[in-house]
Amino acid sequence: MRTKDLTITLFIVATILLIPLLAMQLTKEVNWSGFDFLVMGSLLFLSGLAIQFVRYKLKNRKNRIIASLAILILLFIIWAELAVGIFGTPFAGS
């Protein structure tokens, strides 16, 4: 994997994480801890790396799109479970 791709992925993750950071400055309704930023940053970064891996390993465009969509769906399911516990698993906390 190229360094440029990793830099772009890190930039996108940092930009996305700026949204809750900015929201925390403007309202009391967003209350993230450092651990929340660490978990979400890791989740976003690993998803970005997985999509980069798919881009380089799969040659067929249709397969790349399907695999990337599967990664994004998994990301959103994990995010929703961590945020509000849609499945009620212990993974989401109490």
Side-chain angles (χ1 to χ4, degrees):
M1 194 168 295
R2 298 184 332 220
T3 305
K4 182 180 177 184
D5 293 334
L6 287 175
T7 305
I8 291 170
T9 302
L10 282 172
F11 178 75
I12 291 170
V13 169
T15 303
I16 292 171
L17 289 177
L18 282 175
I19 296 169
L21 184 64
L22 180 63
M24 285 175 54
Q25 307 306 312
L26 299 175
T27 181
K28 299 284 186 201
E29 294 179 11
V30 179
N31 187 17
W32 279 31
S33 68
F35 184 71
D36 294 327
F37 281 99
L38 179 69
V39 169
M40 195 59 191
S42 299
L43 190 60
L44 289 170
F45 184 68
L46 291 174
S47 297
L49 286 180
I51 290 173
Q52 290 294 329
F53 182 77
V54 162
R55 282 185 54 212
Y56 287 114
K57 292 298 178 183
L58 297 180
K59 301 299 179 197
N60 185 350
R61 182 177 178 182
K62 180 181 175 183
N63 290 342
R64 282 194 311 242
I65 292 172
I66 291 170
S68 296
L69 284 174
I71 292 167
L72 290 175
I73 289 169
L74 184 62
L75 168 70
F76 290 131
I77 289 172
I78 292 171
W79 173 54
E81 179 61 20
L82 287 173
V84 295
I86 57 174
F87 301 115
T89 64
F91 184 58
S94 56

